[in-house]
Amino acid sequence: MPITERPLTHLVLPDGANLKTGDQIESFKLVSGPETLFPAFTWTLEFPFPHVYRIILAGPERPRPPHDNANAPSTFCKFELVSIDKDACRAVIAFPYPTGQSLDTSGLDIDTRLELRLFWKYQLFTEVWERRGRGNTETVTPIIRDLGARPYALTEHGIIRHWRLDRSRVHLGLGEKAAPIDLTGRRFIMHAADSAFYDAYKTDPLYKHTPFLISTPPPNQSGSQGSTYAIFHPTNSVATWDVGASIDYPSGGLSKQYIQDWGGLEEWVMIGNGVQGVVRTFSDIAGKPRLVGRDWLGYLASTVLLADLPNAQEELEKWPGLCVQNDIPCSAMHLSSGYTHDEETGEHLVFYLNTKRYPDFKKMVRIYHAAGMKILPNVKPYLLTMHPDYRRLEDEKGLFFDPLTQKAGRQNLSNNAEDQNGDGSWADFSAPETRRWWAEGIKGLIELGVDGIWDDNNEFFTRDDEILAENKFEFRREVSYNDGSRIKTGLLGRITGTEVMNKGSHDQMKEAFPERRVFILTRSGNPATFKYAASTWAGDNYTSWHNLRGSQHIQINSALSLMQNTGADVGGFAGPKPTPELFVRWVQLGVTHSRFCIHSDGSGGKLNTPWMYPEMLPIICQHIKWRYYILPFLNNLMWQSHLGAAPPNAPLFYGPFASDPVLYTPEIMRGFVAWLGVGQILVAPQLHEGERARKVYFPRTSPTDQACYFDISGQVDYRLFGPSAHERQNRTSMPVFRSGEWATIPTPLEYGGMFAREGAVIPVGRDKATLTALDGPARRYPDGVDVELDKDSGGGGDGQVGLDDWRGVLIFPPPPPPSSGLDNKVYEGEWVEDDGISADPSTYLVKIRYWVENVDGSLAVRVEAKAFMSKYGFQPLWSGRLFVFLPEGDWRAVVGAQAGLYPNRRADKAGGNARVMGQFVVPVEYVI
């Protein structure tokens, strides 16, 4: 391949830069000097946040990249020039200290002092060092250092950067990237592609564009750990991250390399305490994940086959009844693009309605709404030349422009007509006419009664960086060049179309239903896309055990990159039909992910459904119902994601577990164990064909951590497997394991592999789809249809939806008797309740405290509960009555509660079996 790398040298202080030691400054600048080969370049260093610095390097033909991926604060931090030697061309800069006006979510200790060392004698390079301790105990350690021989260079149209590489560090993030989770030693393209049928361990790129790389050091054996850093480049241009895949020995040996194809450089570097610190900071820069509606956390159905049938509406209308027949709760149906296929040719025509397949679309939607299921239609951002709106967009400059042909840029695009491709064009969302056309199409779908939009096939792979975009935006973007001229897609970035497409879908839904939470699902995206899209998924995966395993790693890195409502198509979208065993294991993993959807492409008659294997239906049913049972817990995880960017699915070394050195060993890093809620539920699935046992390590927070883990997988198994209710009631205890230990766990086919950590607080509800209110938006859809309730909730028909009028909480005190003696350790937890649908929801916050104490010579568990709500805010249907459950076999009294057996409720059985419990009337404290 052609190589262009010209070092950027001889930068100097600007004329009149009167800098001196001790100055408090807002930026540090260098400019091209008289000896440079590249005049008129400016390098600028600033601190948007106390532990975040931003570098902008721009010059002729390399402007600051246009984007909306990073949002700078209105006021930057001042920082101290600790020393400066103008003759030696070096300076030392102290990172700012947090103040009341500056945001800091790094989690760094107050005694950690950071300094940036800057050198510009010939090559410009920087280093960040951290100081810990004071006096004789002070340590000074490097965190991140440029490669001195190759720090900055220009490529043909862009920039190249090099840093020193410490191979002992773990590298994470970069969005949706192939397994394993550690990215060290590999090369990745920052570009979104339609990577259908990909290999979850090899294919690159996949569907997302997220140039956010985390570097974290493993701790030593005593648990001591240096700081973590992350680098974010908000450009939308194609780039390459080489995380040590290549070596240039003469230039310094091991290095990391970032090559950006177009434009100047914008680089954000953040320092934090562990991975958690930089993920939180990244969310301050790019924006917190959107709050996902409660109904989108259940089982989401999807199928290409049914949507493409000649009698598609007839077959799809049977779906709610099939769910009732097979006792499977379901919350939504994804409507694949078959509803848009031309009635004669079968070609794909976005926003066109095939009335032969769907003679009464609104009627179908009403059937789903009555069953409590939402409809999410598929839309695609390209037009075949035979599309009735093609000429309109072509005439109004709504398509990308090809300077070679002086016409709209055309290429072969999928048309779904006998699996052939057709000639067509990508819609240019930087053009006002395209945005108007898209708004009209989304409004048309809204009028049909849909509940969200599925933005699909939106990678915008125009295949030529010279193709021109219209580049006219009437809304603000962080960096934009609205000078009235077209811009090359290489500089603008193809993924900009994905971002603005999702904005268009979001804005129309918000305008139509301002009181409801908008749900947009997108296949592709950059960080800015998720200001508008609430959810995504890992694209068109291929059915295999290999890809099932890889999906767990993709899930985790996606979550660390702020895609925190995501998951893979359960059962595999393409390829062969999954075997019964593979399908069961995929469901068992899928119900622990933040998004749970079973999907298939219909090829060869493939139709993945929960009831596809009757002999496996009981296992599938129990796990899907378990997901609904923990829906209050999942809903709270989405709130924590929205408020603080806490990933629902996280690596084992996240947060307080970062100091456990075992978690960085190859066996763990290449394995598939992860958190569902950090420190709450340890997910250890069986992902190997035919195997019925696996090793599990139980993470610890420190070398002295003795917390227990309780095997709760048997509690999923509540109706159809395992011992009888009498046998369960007389068990002495559920299996318990100790932090820092390994154990070999039996994994029969019905076993999902889940362990609750001591101190966990897991709110639970009914094991079915439920409504949070008897009336209003929670029950009535915008088309006027009310959800039909089941008979248990007062409904008179065949409804499968109940009321969310019961709440339990699973707590996990140390098993009796405490192995380390009675220490009165207090465990705390909380969760957020809301109506699950409002755009601006009021909340009901429940806080729990519990501990073991001695009562009249016997050990008991004392529990305190309190709820907080606004005076006229949301109040759940369970009216403050909370049922507290101890682990299976724990028969200690719950102090201060009405204790007793609770044997005949399905919700309780979904948590295990009859057991000693406490019933509370939770006191409410009104807050403003």
Side-chain angles (χ1 to χ4, degrees):
M1 65 179 180
I3 297 175
T4 301
E5 183 181 338
R6 292 283 186 153
L8 185 62
T9 61
H10 297 98
L11 296 182
V12 300
L13 290 169
D15 291 340
N18 186 25
L19 298 174
K20 61 183 182 299
T21 296
D23 280 355
Q24 292 287 327
I25 57 179
E26 294 181 348
S27 66
F28 189 99
K29 293 182 183 290
L30 296 170
V31 298
S32 295
E35 298 181 64
T36 186
L37 294 175
F38 303 103
F41 274 82
T42 301
W43 182 93
T44 305
L45 171 74
E46 301 167 296
F47 282 84
F49 304 111
H51 295 107
V52 180
Y53 62 90
R54 183 182 74 178
I55 293 170
I56 295 177
L57 173 63
E61 298 183 356
R62 288 169 183 80
R64 183 181 172 191
H67 72 84
D68 202 34
N69 291 314
N71 304 302
S74 58
T75 303
F76 282 33
C77 300
K78 288 188 175 182
F79 53 93
E80 180 184 358
L81 192 58
V82 176
S83 67
I84 183 168
D85 187 330
K86 297 179 182 179
D87 295 328
C89 298
R90 60 178 61 189
V92 177
I93 290 168
F95 277 57
Y97 281 101
T99 66
Q101 288 74 43
S102 60
L103 179 65
D104 178 35
T105 53
S106 67
L108 289 173
D109 188 270
I110 191 66
D111 284 333
T112 300
R113 289 98 60 209
L114 301 173
E115 63 183 35
L116 186 144
R117 302 176 183 180
L118 178 62
F119 309 86
W120 66 92
K121 187 73 172 179
Y122 172 65
Q123 299 267 34
L124 162 66
F125 64 96
T126 59
E127 301 176 346
V128 176
W129 293 68
E130 67 175 338
R131 296 178 179 272
R132 294 188 176 186
R134 303 282 178 176
N136 294 333
T137 63
E138 183 181 53
T139 60
V140 184
T141 310
I143 300 177
I144 175 174
R145 294 189 284 178
D146 289 348
L147 189 66
R150 293 175 75 185
Y152 293 87
L154 306 185
T155 63
E156 183 179 5
H157 302 291
I159 298 287
I160 185 170
R161 290 277 282 120
H162 284 85
W163 300 262
R164 295 189 186 190
L165 174 68
D166 181 350
R167 279 189 176 271
S168 70
R169 281 180 166 257
V170 175
H171 292 87
L172 309 158
L174 292 186
E176 187 182 76
K177 290 301 178 185
I181 185 176
D182 186 2
L183 309 177
T184 308
R186 294 188 282 161
R187 182 184 292 107
F188 302 93
I189 299 173
M190 298 294 102
H191 166 58
D194 186 343
S195 304
F197 321 149
Y198 60 88
D199 185 313
Y201 280 83
K202 295 180 180 179
T203 303
D204 187 78
L206 293 175
Y207 297 87
K208 311 299 192 298
H209 175 101
T210 316
F212 170 67
L213 181 70
I214 301 169
S215 177
T216 192
N220 58 29
Q221 289 304 308
S222 66
S224 178
Q225 185 181 30
S227 292
T228 297
Y229 70 84
I231 305 173
F232 175 47
H233 296 99
T235 177
N236 289 318
S237 297
V238 175
T240 301
W241 252 115
D242 184 327
V243 193
S246 58
I247 300 174
D248 177 18
Y249 183 76
S251 297
L254 298 176
S255 67
K256 292 198 290 278
Q257 180 187 82
Y258 173 76
I259 307 171
Q260 183 178 298
D261 288 2
W262 288 80
L265 179 75
E266 180 172 342
E267 180 174 289
W268 296 63
V269 179
M270 55 212 81
I271 316 295
N273 180 19
V275 177
Q276 176 178 276
V278 295
V279 170
R280 284 177 175 173
T281 301
F282 183 40
S283 74
D284 296 331
I285 297 168
K288 301 289 192 299
R290 293 186 63 83
L291 182 60
V292 179
R294 186 175 181 270
D295 289 341
W296 300 104
L297 303 178
Y299 160 47
L300 309 178
S302 191
T303 163
V304 172
L305 182 66
L306 296 184
D308 284 359
L309 291 174
N311 63 334
Q313 178 174 335
E314 179 184 353
E315 291 301 316
L316 283 167
E317 286 178 355
K318 297 176 183 177
W319 186 267
L322 288 170
C323 290
V324 173
Q325 178 182 327
N326 290 284
D327 197 22
I328 296 291
C330 180
S331 296
M333 170 62 77
H334 295 70
L335 186 61
S336 292
S337 59
Y339 77 98
T340 69
H341 292 175
D342 183 80
E343 294 174 0
E344 303 301 328
T345 67
E347 291 183 316
H348 168 76
L349 306 174
V350 64
F351 299 135
Y352 171 84
L353 180 60
N354 185 320
T355 55
K356 288 186 177 179
R357 293 179 179 177
Y358 297 84
D360 191 346
F361 194 95
K362 290 185 177 180
K363 171 178 172 285
M364 180 187 71
V365 173
R366 290 195 296 271
I367 289 173
Y368 274 82
H369 286 172
M373 299 181 194
K374 291 175 164 48
I375 290 287
L376 191 73
N378 181 291
V379 291
K380 305 179 192 297
Y382 58 81
L383 299 85
L384 299 174
T385 55
M386 60 91 65
H387 194 291
D389 292 332
Y390 187 89
R391 297 302 171 197
R392 167 190 167 183
L393 290 189
E394 185 177 39
D395 292 344
E396 296 296 328
K397 301 179 181 180
L399 305 174
F400 289 101
F401 183 77
D402 187 345
L404 186 63
T405 65
Q406 290 294 299
K407 297 179 180 179
R410 293 186 179 183
Q411 66 189 69
N412 283 340
L413 295 165
S414 172
N415 69 7
N416 293 311
E418 298 180 358
D419 296 321
Q420 299 297 312
N421 286 344
D423 202 22
S425 301
W426 292 98
D428 175 10
F429 279 80
S430 76
E433 182 59 26
T434 290
R435 296 195 292 274
R436 283 191 289 270
W437 166 76
W438 191 259
E440 293 167 8
I442 299 299
K443 286 178 180 176
L445 289 171
I446 291 172
E447 290 171 0
L448 293 174
V450 304
D451 304 290
I453 301 295
W454 174 8
D455 286 348
D456 196 12
N457 294 79
N458 53 353
E459 292 76 30
F460 288 84
F461 191 10
T462 54
R463 303 178 188 164
D464 186 344
D465 284 346
E466 301 289 337
I467 295 290
L468 298 176
E470 194 67 14
N471 191 37
K472 293 180 180 178
F473 299 98
E474 73 279 3
F475 50 89
R476 183 190 178 277
R477 304 180 76 234
E478 183 71 15
V479 183
S480 189
Y481 302 106
N482 291 325
D483 58 3
S485 61
R486 287 170 169 157
I487 188 173
K488 292 179 179 180
T489 56
L491 178 60
L492 180 66
R494 302 176 182 90
I495 201 72
T496 302
T498 314
E499 168 196 326
V500 183
M501 171 194 182
N502 276 271
K503 183 181 188 302
S505 299
H506 167 274
D507 289 356
Q508 293 309 310
M509 292 295 297
K510 183 178 180 180
E511 180 180 317
F513 311 116
E515 77 286 356
R516 294 176 182 258
R517 210 168 300 171
V518 174
F519 185 83
I520 307 296
L521 172 70
T522 184
R523 188 170 80 177
S524 185
N526 58 2
T529 296
F530 296 96
K531 297 176 183 178
Y532 314 109
S535 184
T536 186
W537 84 105
D540 296 343
N541 57 352
Y542 189 87
T543 302
S544 72
W545 285 93
H546 172 80
N547 287 333
L548 167 62
R549 291 189 288 271
S551 71
Q552 180 76 319
H553 295 262
I554 293 173
Q555 179 81 10
I556 293 170
N557 266 329
S558 295
L560 297 180
S561 305
L562 301 185
M563 290 174 278
Q564 296 186 348
N565 184 253
T566 187
D569 284 345
V570 171
F573 175 74
K577 185 179 180 181
T579 64
E581 181 188 9
L582 175 56
F583 187 58
V584 166
R585 294 305 194 194
W586 216 318
V587 169
Q588 288 171 340
L589 177 64
V591 296
T592 69
H593 284 172
S594 50
R595 169 181 161 86
F596 173 58
C597 177
I598 300 175
H599 192 26
S600 50
D601 68 351
S603 58
K606 183 177 182 180
L607 178 60
N608 291 343
T609 70
W611 46 83
M612 63 192 295
Y613 295 114
E615 71 276 19
M616 297 299 168
L617 179 57
I619 302 177
I620 301 298
C621 179
Q622 70 191 23
H623 281 86
I624 291 177
K625 288 196 168 191
W626 179 82
R627 185 173 177 92
Y628 281 88
Y629 176 64
I630 67 161
L631 198 65
F633 176 68
L634 296 174
N635 186 61
N636 184 60
L637 293 183
M638 288 294 96
W639 269 99
Q640 302 317 307
S641 167
H642 174 63
L643 296 174
N649 302 112
L652 296 184
F653 48 79
Y654 201 81
F657 301 91
S659 63
D660 187 345
V662 177
L663 303 182
Y664 302 81
T665 58
E667 186 170 0
I668 296 293
M669 294 295 293
R670 296 171 187 165
F672 315 103
V673 182
W675 291 112
L676 175 58
V678 174
Q680 300 288 307
I681 298 177
L682 186 75
V683 178
Q686 176 57 270
L687 303 182
H688 287 85
E689 184 176 13
E691 295 192 8
R692 295 296 182 265
R694 63 155 300 158
K695 289 177 64 179
V696 177
Y697 175 77
F698 298 94
R700 60 184 184 179
T701 58
S702 71
T704 60
D705 180 11
Q706 293 292 303
C708 293
Y709 288 79
F710 300 80
D711 187 345
I712 62 172
S713 293
Q715 297 180 29
V716 177
D717 198 13
Y718 63 90
R719 286 193 300 167
L720 299 159
F721 301 92
S724 68
H726 174 75
E727 292 170 324
R728 289 197 303 265
Q729 183 174 323
N730 286 280
R731 279 183 178 175
T732 56
S733 66
M734 65 169 63
V736 176
F737 306 91
R738 189 72 64 185
S739 295
E741 296 180 350
W742 288 87
T744 298
I745 308 298
T747 57
L749 192 56
E750 65 271 14
Y751 181 90
M754 288 167 281
F755 302 84
R757 181 175 159 87
E758 179 182 316
V761 172
I762 303 174
V764 294
R766 294 186 179 275
D767 61 347
K768 62 175 73 173
T770 56
L771 302 178
T772 57
L774 278 166
D775 50 28
R779 184 176 185 185
R780 176 162 293 179
Y781 283 87
D783 60 3
V785 175
D786 284 344
V787 177
E788 294 180 4
L789 295 173
D790 63 13
K791 294 178 181 178
D792 291 343
S793 302
D798 295 326
Q800 198 181 18
V801 179
L803 294 176
D804 188 34
D805 60 356
W806 181 86
R807 186 67 74 244
V809 59
L810 310 182
I811 62 173
F812 298 88
S819 57
S820 57
L822 187 62
D823 59 6
N824 293 321
K825 182 176 181 179
V826 177
Y827 303 93
E828 297 181 331
E830 63 182 44
W831 71 89
V832 176
E833 303 259 0
D834 72 301
D835 66 3
I837 198 166
S838 294
D840 185 19
S842 59
T843 59
Y844 186 90
L845 176 65
V846 183
K847 292 189 175 185
I848 294 285
R849 300 174 74 243
Y850 64 94
W851 62 93
V852 178
E853 63 180 33
N854 193 312
V855 178
D856 297 329
S858 299
L859 293 179
V861 179
R862 182 177 291 277
V863 179
E864 294 179 351
K866 182 177 285 190
F868 300 84
M869 63 177 290
S870 59
K871 191 69 175 178
Y872 302 104
F874 172 74
Q875 186 162 354
L877 292 175
W878 48 274
S879 301
R881 293 173 63 244
L882 182 65
F883 295 84
V884 177
F885 295 89
L886 301 180
E888 179 179 327
D890 188 342
W891 298 98
R892 290 174 291 189
V894 177
V895 178
Q898 177 184 345
L901 291 178
Y902 195 66
N904 296 317
R905 282 214 59 159
R906 177 175 294 180
D908 174 50
K909 292 179 181 178
N913 37 238
R915 71 191 74 179
V916 173
M917 52 150 286
Q919 175 181 334
F920 288 87
V921 175
V922 181
V924 175
E925 182 173 314
Y926 293 99
V927 296
I928 298 176

